[in-house]
C-alpha cells in the first residue's frame, strides 16, 4: 500500500490511508490499492506472468547444488504469480505482501522482507545473496547487510543500481556462474571490506566524503578533495600538520579574543587543466558520465576515476591516485591521468602549491580571524618548485617542494615548464599536444617540512634535497604500501559475517593511524579530538585520549608513549595553570594545543541564534583525571617501568597533589568537597540563579578523584626509595602529603538518594524535569539541547538533562565492582554492584540527549553489564555509524571523531571479545554477536603479542614468540597456561 500511496502523492492526489480490509470502492489508499489488485489479478490470470527462462534455469541449478532459495516480494500476488508460472515448488520460503501484513514488515527499500526470508532459510543475511532488478530492492539488500547484492539491469539502469548499492550488476542471470558467486563470498567480499567506495558524485555529501577519504601518516593529513578544486560550498581541500597552530586575535564585543587554530596549510594537491583555448574548468563542474571515489584502506591510497563531457561535447577520462607516505612522513604524491576520449587538442596543465588559503572549514568560526599564513618565499630550485610560508603569529615555518613528471602512455615526456607566481602560490604550467585515446600522466611528488621537525636544522634544504633523491611515484608508493601492511598486521580486526561492521571497523582503525602513527615518536604533538582531518574544535587536544589510548596501548604502545610524552613535556605548563588558579600540583587545561596553555575559548558561538555567550567549559577539571588514568593504564598494559619512573610517576604525583588541593574539608559535613567544576555532561555550567561559576561535588569527578588518590598512594608505596627521593627533590613532595590523600579517599562527599541514585552534582535533584517529547516534536534533532534552550532565552542549567554520560561515566572507566568498593570505602551502603549500576543507568539514560558520539560508546559498554546483548549492540551500532553516516548532521565533514572511532574498537575488545586486562590475570569472556561467525585480531599486552580467534564454538589463543616462559589466562572461568609459539583451543557453549 505504501507504493500506492507514493504513486498518488507523486501526482498530487491525497486520500486517507484507510484499513487494509477496505472494500475496493472506498476512496482510501487501501481501497484503491485493493481495487488495483483485483484488476491486476484479472489481467494476470488472462495473460499469465512474464517468465525469464534463464532465471528459472539459474534457480534450478542452485537447487541442484544444494543452495537454499527463497522469494521475497512486497506484492500480495506473489503466490499467485508463482503458481501460474508453475515454479512455486522451487522456493523454500516465500515472504510476500500477505506475510508482510501479518508480521508488520516494512516494504523496500527497508530490508525486512529479505531479512525474514533469510531467517526462514536458517541463514544470516551475511550468508545470503539478494537478486534484484529494482533500485529499492538493491537498496534493501545493502541496508540489510547481505553478503552479496546482485543487480539485474533489465532497463538500462545498471549505473543507478551500482550507485544504489549493488555489488555486481549484470543484464541477465545467465551471465554469472556459481564459481563467480563463490569467489565473491570467499575472496571479493574480503577485498570489499578494505575499500570505502562512492559510485556517484553527490555535491551535498562531498565534504563528508573528503573527511572520510583523508590520507595521512600521523605527521600530516590531507582531505580527500578532488585535485582540481579549491574551497567552495561543495569542496574543502585541507592539509593539517601535527603541532602547527596559530593564535591571532579577533575583536568580539569590544575585546580581543584569542583562538589558537589548527592551521590549514598550503594545498599541495592542486592540478588543473584546460583544453585548447578553453578556460580551466573543474571536471566536476562538467557533465559527469561516470564517477567512482574510493579509499583503499589496506594500502592507504585514495583513488578517483571519472568520465566527463564539456560544453563542446569533448569527453575526458580522468583517474587520480594519491598518498601521504607512511614510510617517509615528509612525502606525499599524486598520479593524475588524463585521457582525451574523442578529441585531439592542446592540453594546458597547471600543477600548484597554493598558500593563498584561509581556515574556512567550520561555518561557526567564520566570524573569527581566519588568515594564518604569510608568504616568505617561493621559486624554482634543482628542477622543482617550492613554497615557503609561515604562520603569522606563532611564526612556524612551513616549506613544501614539488616535482612534476609527465608521461605519455607510461613513457616519460620531455616538456617545458612555465613558472607562475601569485602571492603565496606557485604553479608549473605545462603544454601538451594531446592525441585522442592517448593517456597523459602528471606525476606530482611533494615534500613537506616545518620548523617543528625534530633533527631538521634547515627545512627548506631538506624539502628540496629529498626530491632530488626520490624521483618517481613508484619509489614513494612501494615503501608506503609495505609500511601500511606492517601496521595492519598489528591492528586489523577481522570480522566474518558482518560486512558493514567489518568495513567501518577498518575505517575507524585506518583513520586512527592517520591521526597518530609510529611517526609520532618524532613529533611533539598530541592527538587531536578530530584527527588531522579538519578544523573542528580548532584541532585541540581534549580528554578524548581516555577513549583513544587503549587502542594504541594494545597495538602500538610506542605511539601511546609518544602521546603521553606530549603531556609530560607540558607538565610545567599544567603546574603553572594550577598556581594561577591557586591550586597545587598540576592542573591540565580542558583544551590545549602546542604549548600546554588553556585554549578553551572565553566566548562560544551559538549557531542556533547567531549569538556569542560566555564559555565556562574550561572548568572541566576532570581532564586531569583522564591524563592520570591514561598514564596508569599505559603502564598497566605495557609494564613500561622506565617511563613510569622517569616521567609517568612525576605526572601522576603532580596531578594527585592538584586534587588534594582542590578538595576542601567541611567540618559540618565531616567530608571533603570539590567546587567550581563541570562534569563530562557539559550542559550544566552552574546552578540556576547562582552567582558562582561551576558546580559542587560532581559525582564523576569526586569518585574518580578518590580512585586517583588511592592509586597515587599505591604508586608511592610501589616505587623504589631512590625514585621517591628523586621525585621529592624535584617536586618538593613530602610523604606527609599522603596523610591528607588518605583522608580524602575515606571522606569525599558524593550525594546519594535514598534509592541509591547518584546525584550528578549537589543540587541536581532539585532541578526541573525536561519535556523531551515536546522538544522532539518541535525540533526533531535535539542532541544539542544547550544551543536550543539558550536560543529560546532559557538554559539547560534549569533541567535534568545531560549532553552525554556524566555520572555513568565512572562505570565506563572503572568496573561496577570497583565503583561499589569506592562507595563502601566512603561509607555509603551499596549491596550489589551491578544493581547499583542498573538503578543509575535507568535513571540517567532517559535524561541524556547523547549530543556527543562518546556517549554512545559509554552506554554500549556499561549496558553490557545489565542488559541483554541487543542493548549493547544497539549502542555499538549507533556509535559505529556516527561518522561514516554523519548521524550528527554535518559535524563529520569538519573532522572525524577520534574518540568514538577508538571507542568502538574498545567495545569489541571489552565486550564482544570479552577481554579484561585490569586484573593480575587477563580474563576472556566473549559475547559474540549472533551473526558474527568469526572474530580475530592481535594485541600486545605487557610486551607479549597474542593472537585471538573467536567462533561460536571455540576460542583460539596463540602466545607469539619463542621461549619457555608461560603466561596464565582465565578463559571462561578456567585458568589456561600459554607457551610461546603454541596455540590453545578452548571450547565454548555460546549460543549468541
Amino acid at each position: 500500500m505504501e507504493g500506492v500511496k507514493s504513486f498518488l502523492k507523486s501526482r498530487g492526489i491525497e486520500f486517507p490511508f484507510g484499513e487494509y480490509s477496505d472494500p475496493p470502492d472506498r476512496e482510501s489508499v487501501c481501497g484503491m490499492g485493493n481495487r488495483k489488485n483485483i484488476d491486476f489479478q484479472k489481467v494476470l490470470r488472462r495473460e499469465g506472468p512474464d517468465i525469464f527462462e534463464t532465471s528459472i534455469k539459474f534457480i534450478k541449478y542452485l537447487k541442484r547444488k544444494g543452495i537454499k532459495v527463497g522469494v521475497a516480494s512486497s506484492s500480495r500476488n506473489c503466490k499467485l504469480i508463482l503458481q501460474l508460472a508453475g515454479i512455486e515448488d522451487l522456493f523454500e520460503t516465500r515472504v510476500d505482501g500477505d506475510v508482510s501484513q501479518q508480521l508488520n514488515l516494512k516494504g523496500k527499500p527497508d530490508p525486512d522482507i529479505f531479512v525474514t526470508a533469510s531467517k526462514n532459510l536458517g541463514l544470516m543475511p551475511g550468508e545470503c545473496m539478494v537478486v534484484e532488478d529494482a533500485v529499492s530492492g538493491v537498496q534493501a539488500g545493502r541496508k540489510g547487510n547481505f553478503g552479496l547484492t546482485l543487480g539485474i539491469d533489465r532497463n538500462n539502469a545498471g549505473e543507478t543500481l551500482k550507485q544504489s548499492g549493488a555489488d555486481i550488476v549484470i543484464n541477465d542471470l545467465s551471465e554469472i556462474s556459481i564459481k563467480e558467486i563463490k569467489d565473491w563470498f570467499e575472496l571479493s567480499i574480503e577485498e570489499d571490506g578494505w575499500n570505502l567506495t562512492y559510485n556517484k558524485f553527490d555535491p551535498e555529501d562531498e565534504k563528508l566524503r573528503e573527511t572520510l577519504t583523508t590520507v595521512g601518516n600521523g605527521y600530516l593529513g590531507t582531505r580527500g578533495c578532488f585535485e582540481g578544486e579549491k574551497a567552495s560550498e561543495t569542496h574543502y581541500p585541507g592539509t593539517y600538520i601535527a603541532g602547527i597552530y596559530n593564535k591571532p586575535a579577533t575583536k568580539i564585543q569590544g575585546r580581543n579574543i584569542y583562538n589558537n587554530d589548527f592551521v590549514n596549510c598550503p594545498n599541495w594537491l592542486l592540478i588543473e587543466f584546460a583544453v585548447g583555448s578553453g578556460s580551466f574548468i573543474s571536471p566536476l563542474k562538467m557533465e559527469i558520465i561516470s564517477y567512482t571515489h574510493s579509499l583503499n584502506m589496506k594500502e592507504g591510497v585514495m583513488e578517483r576515476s571519472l568520465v566527463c563531457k564539456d560544453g563542446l561535447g569533448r569527453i575526458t577520462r580522468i583517474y587520480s591516485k594519491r598518498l601521504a607516505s607512511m614510510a617517509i612522513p615528509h612525502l606525499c604524491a599524486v598520479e593524475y591521468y588524463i585521457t582525451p576520449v574523442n578529441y585531439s587538442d592542446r592540453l594546458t596543465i597547471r600543477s600548484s602549491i597554493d598558500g593563498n588559503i584561509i581556515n574556512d572549514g567550520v561555518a561557526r568560526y567564520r566570524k573569527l580571524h581566519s588568515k594564518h599564513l604569510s608568504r616568505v618565499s617561493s621559486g624554482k630550485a634543482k628542477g622543482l618548485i617550492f613554497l615557503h610560508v609561515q604562520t603569522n603569529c606563532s611564526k612556524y615555518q612551513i616549506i613544501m617542494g614539488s616535482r612534476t613528471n609527465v608521461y605519455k602512455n607510461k613513457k616519460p615526456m620531455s616538456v617545458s615548464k612555465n613558472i607562475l607566481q601569485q602571492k603565496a602560490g606557485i604553479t608549473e604550467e605545462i603544454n601538451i599536444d594531446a592525441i585522442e585515446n592517448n593517456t597523459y600522466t602528471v606525476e606530482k611528488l611533494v615534500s613537506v617540512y616545518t620548523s617543528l621537525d625534530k633533527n631538521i636544522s634547515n627545512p627548506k634544504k631538506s624539502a628540496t634535497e629529498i626530491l632530488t633523491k626520490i624521483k618517481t611515484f613508484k619509489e614513494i608508493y612501494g615503501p608506503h604500501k609495505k609500511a601500511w601492511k606492517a601496521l595492519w598486521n598489528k591492528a586489523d580486526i577481522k570480522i566474518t559475517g558482518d560486512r558493514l561492521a567489518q568495513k567501518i571497523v577498518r575505517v575507524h582503525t585506518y583513520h586512527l593511524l592517520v591521526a597518530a602513527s609510529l611517526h609520532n615518536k618524532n613529533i611533539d604533538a598530541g592527538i587531536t579530538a578530530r584527527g588531522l582531518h579538519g578544523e573542528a574544535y580548532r584541532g585541540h587536544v581534549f580528554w578524548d585520549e581516555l577513549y583513544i589510548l587503549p587502542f594504541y596501548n594494545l597495538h602500538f604502545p610506542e605511539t601511546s608513549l609518544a602521546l603521553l610524552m606530549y603531556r609530560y613535556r607540558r607538565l610545567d605548563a599544567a603546574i603553572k595553570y594550577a598556581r594561577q588558579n591557586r591550586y597545587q600540583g598540576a592542573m591540565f587545561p580542558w583544551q590545549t594545543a602546542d604549548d600546554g596553555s588553556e585554549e578553551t575559548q572565553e566566548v562560544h558561538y551559538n549557531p542556533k541564534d547567531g549569538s556569542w555567550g560566555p564559555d565556562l567549559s574550561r572548568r572541566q577539571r576532570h581532564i586531569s583525571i583522564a591524563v592520570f588514568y591514561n598514564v596508569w593504564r599505559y603502564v598497566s598494559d605495557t609494564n613500561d617501568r622506565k617511563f613510569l619512573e622517569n616521567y609517568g610517576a612525576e605526572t601522576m604525583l603532580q596531578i594527585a597533589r592538584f586534587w588534594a588541593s582542590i578538595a576542601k574539608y567541611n567540618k559540618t559535613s565531616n567530608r571533603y568537597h570539590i567546587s567550581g567544576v563541570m562534569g563530562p555532561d557539559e550542559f550544566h555550567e552552574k546552578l540556576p540563579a547562582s552567582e558562582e561559576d561551576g558546580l559542587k561535588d560532581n559525582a564523576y569527578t569526586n569518585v574518580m578523584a578518590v580512585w586517583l588518590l588511592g592509586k597515587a598512594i599505591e604508586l608511592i608505596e610501589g616505587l623504589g626509595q631512590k625514585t621517591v627521593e628523586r621525585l621529592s627533590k624535584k617536586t618538593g613532595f613530602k610523604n606527609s602529603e599522603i596523610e591528607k590523600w588518605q583522608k580524602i579517599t575515606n571522606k569525599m562527599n558524593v550525594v546519594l538518594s535514598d534509592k541509591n541514585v547518584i546525584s550528578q552534582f549537589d543540587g541536581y535533584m532539585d532541578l526541573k524535569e525536561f519535556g523531551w517529547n515536546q522538544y522532539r516534536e518541535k525540533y526533531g534533532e535535539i542532541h544539542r539541547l544547550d544551543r536550543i534552550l539558550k536560543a529560546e532565552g532559557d538554559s539547560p542549567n534549569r533541567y535534568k538533562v545531560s549532553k552525554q554520560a556524566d555520572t555513568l561515566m565512572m562505570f565506563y572507566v572503572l568496573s561496577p565492582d570497583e565503583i561499589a568498593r569506592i562507595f563502601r570505602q566512603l561509607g555509603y551502603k551499596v549491596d550489589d554492584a551491578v544493581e547499583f549500576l542498573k538503578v543509575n543507568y535507568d535513571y540517567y539514560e532517559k535524561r541524556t540527549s547523547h549530543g556527543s558520539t562518546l556517549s554512545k560508546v559509554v552506554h554500549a559498554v556499561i549496558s553490557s553489564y545489565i542488559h541483554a546483548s541487543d542493548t549493547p549492540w544497539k549502542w555499538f551500532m549507533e556509535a559505529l555509524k556516527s561518522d561514516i553516516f554523519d548521524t550528527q548532521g554535518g559535524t563529520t565533514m569538519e573532522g572525524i571523531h577520534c574518540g568514538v572511532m577508538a571507542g568502538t574498537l574498545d567495545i569489541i575488545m571489552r565486550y564482544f571479545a570479552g577481554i579484561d586486562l585490569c586484573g593480575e590475570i587477563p580474563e576472556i569472556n566473549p559475547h559474540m554477536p549472533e551473526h558474527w561467525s568469526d572474530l580475530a585480531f592481535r594485541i600486545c599486552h605487557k610486551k607479549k603479542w597474542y593472537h585471538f580467534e573467536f567462533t561460536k564454538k571455540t576460542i583460539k589463543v596463540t602466545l607469539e614468540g619463542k621461549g619457555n616462559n608461560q603466561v596464565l589466562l582465565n578463559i571462561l572461568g578456567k585458568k589456561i597456561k600459554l607457551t610461546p609459539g603454541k596455540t590453545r583451543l578452548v571450547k565454548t557453549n555460546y549460543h549468541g
Side-chain angles (χ1 to χ4, degrees), residues 60-72:
K60 289 179 178 178
Y61 183 67
L62 293 178
K63 299 279 289 183
R64 288 198 300 272
K65 291 293 183 179
I67 296 172
K68 297 178 181 180
V69 182
V71 62

Side-chain angles (χ1 to χ4, degrees), residues 320-551:
S320 66
K321 179 177 181 179
R322 81 174 61 147
L323 61 86
S325 174
M326 190 58 82
I328 304 173
H330 299 283
L331 289 176
C332 303
V334 179
E335 277 187 324
Y336 192 92
Y337 297 79
I338 305 172
T339 305
V341 176
N342 64 348
Y343 65 91
S344 297
D345 209 331
R346 171 159 290 202
L347 288 180
T348 303
I349 301 170
R350 289 179 177 174
S351 173
S352 307
I353 307 174
D354 184 12
N356 298 303
I357 54 177
I358 60 172
N359 274 41
D360 199 45
V362 181
R364 61 188 176 277
Y365 299 164
R366 286 174 183 163
K367 291 186 178 180
L368 303 173
H369 189 103
S370 58
K371 181 171 173 53
H372 298 289
L373 299 177
S374 298
R375 177 184 178 276
V376 176
S377 64
S378 59
K380 191 174 180 179
K382 298 183 178 180
L384 48 100
I385 58 172
F386 73 90
L387 174 67
H388 180 182
V389 296
Q390 68 176 3
T391 52
N392 49 35
C393 293
S394 53
K395 303 302 181 185
Y396 294 133
Q397 309 299 304
I398 304 164
I399 297 91
M400 293 187 178
S402 175
R403 168 185 290 278
T404 304
N405 303 322
V406 182
Y407 302 83
K408 177 181 179 180
N409 299 326
K410 299 183 179 181
K411 295 181 179 179
M413 292 182 70
S414 177
V415 295
S416 60
K417 301 173 183 177
N418 184 31
I419 307 300
L420 309 174
Q421 300 198 47
Q422 183 182 16
K423 297 180 181 178
I426 184 166
T427 297
E428 284 184 304
E429 185 176 270
I430 301 163
N431 290 297
I432 297 171
D433 290 324
I435 301 172
E436 181 178 340
N437 273 326
N438 282 254
T439 297
Y440 301 88
T441 306
V442 177
E443 194 175 70
K444 184 174 184 178
L445 317 179
V446 175
S447 59
V448 183
Y449 284 82
T450 78
S451 54
L452 290 179
D453 295 338
K454 191 176 180 181
N455 300 322
I456 300 293
S457 58
N458 189 334
K460 181 179 175 182
K461 182 180 179 182
S462 298
T464 54
E465 282 188 349
I466 195 168
L467 292 180
T468 61
K469 298 174 182 176
I470 296 177
K471 299 181 179 181
T472 66
F473 184 94
K474 186 177 180 180
E475 290 176 72
I476 299 175
Y477 173 65
H480 165 80
K481 180 179 176 181
K482 185 177 179 181
W484 268 106
K485 182 178 180 180
L487 294 180
W488 284 114
N489 182 49
K490 293 181 177 181
D492 190 30
I493 297 174
K494 296 180 181 179
I495 300 168
T496 305
D498 191 334
R499 293 178 63 189
L500 180 65
Q502 175 67 93
K503 181 167 292 192
I504 302 178
V505 162
R506 284 187 174 138
V507 167
H508 288 188
T509 305
Y510 168 85
H511 283 297
L512 287 170
L513 294 174
V514 167
S517 72
L518 295 176
H519 297 299
N520 282 68
K521 64 185 177 183
N522 295 317
I523 301 170
D524 185 23
I527 185 165
T528 81
R530 307 299 287 272
L532 301 176
H533 300 64
E535 296 156 17
Y537 299 165
R538 298 181 174 84
H540 291 172
V541 180
F542 292 74
W543 75 316
D544 300 63
E545 296 165 325
L546 184 73
Y547 300 85
I548 296 168
L549 288 191
F551 164 77

Side-chain angles (χ1 to χ4, degrees), residues 193-204:
W194 287 104
N195 291 278
L196 179 63
T197 302
Y198 304 97
N199 289 308
K200 179 183 179 182
F201 177 64
D202 184 350
E204 293 184 4

Side-chain angles (χ1 to χ4, degrees), residues 184-244:
W184 170 268
F185 278 92
E186 293 173 5
L187 302 172
S188 300
I189 202 169
E190 163 68 10
E191 189 64 27
D192 178 72
W194 287 104
N195 291 278
L196 179 63
T197 302
Y198 304 97
N199 289 308
K200 179 183 179 182
F201 177 64
D202 184 350
E204 293 184 4
D205 214 27
E206 186 63 12
K207 285 184 179 178
L208 169 63
R209 297 176 181 183
E210 289 172 355
T211 298
L212 293 173
T213 57
T214 294
V215 295
N217 50 33
Y219 175 76
L220 63 79
T222 295
R223 290 168 57 84
C225 181
F226 179 59
E227 290 84 359
E229 291 286 351
K230 297 180 181 180
S232 66
E233 286 300 311
T234 301
H235 303 278
Y236 192 70
T239 290
Y240 306 93
I241 302 173
I244 298 293

Side-chain angles (χ1 to χ4, degrees), residues 861-891:
V861 170
I862 62 177
S863 66
S864 69
Y865 293 109
I866 55 176
H867 286 292
S869 59
D870 57 337
T871 301
W873 175 257
K874 176 184 79 76
W875 288 117
F876 170 71
M877 286 306 296
E878 285 193 24
L880 198 68
K881 293 178 180 179
S882 59
D883 262 0
I884 196 167
F885 296 124
D886 195 17
T887 58
Q888 288 199 311
T891 64

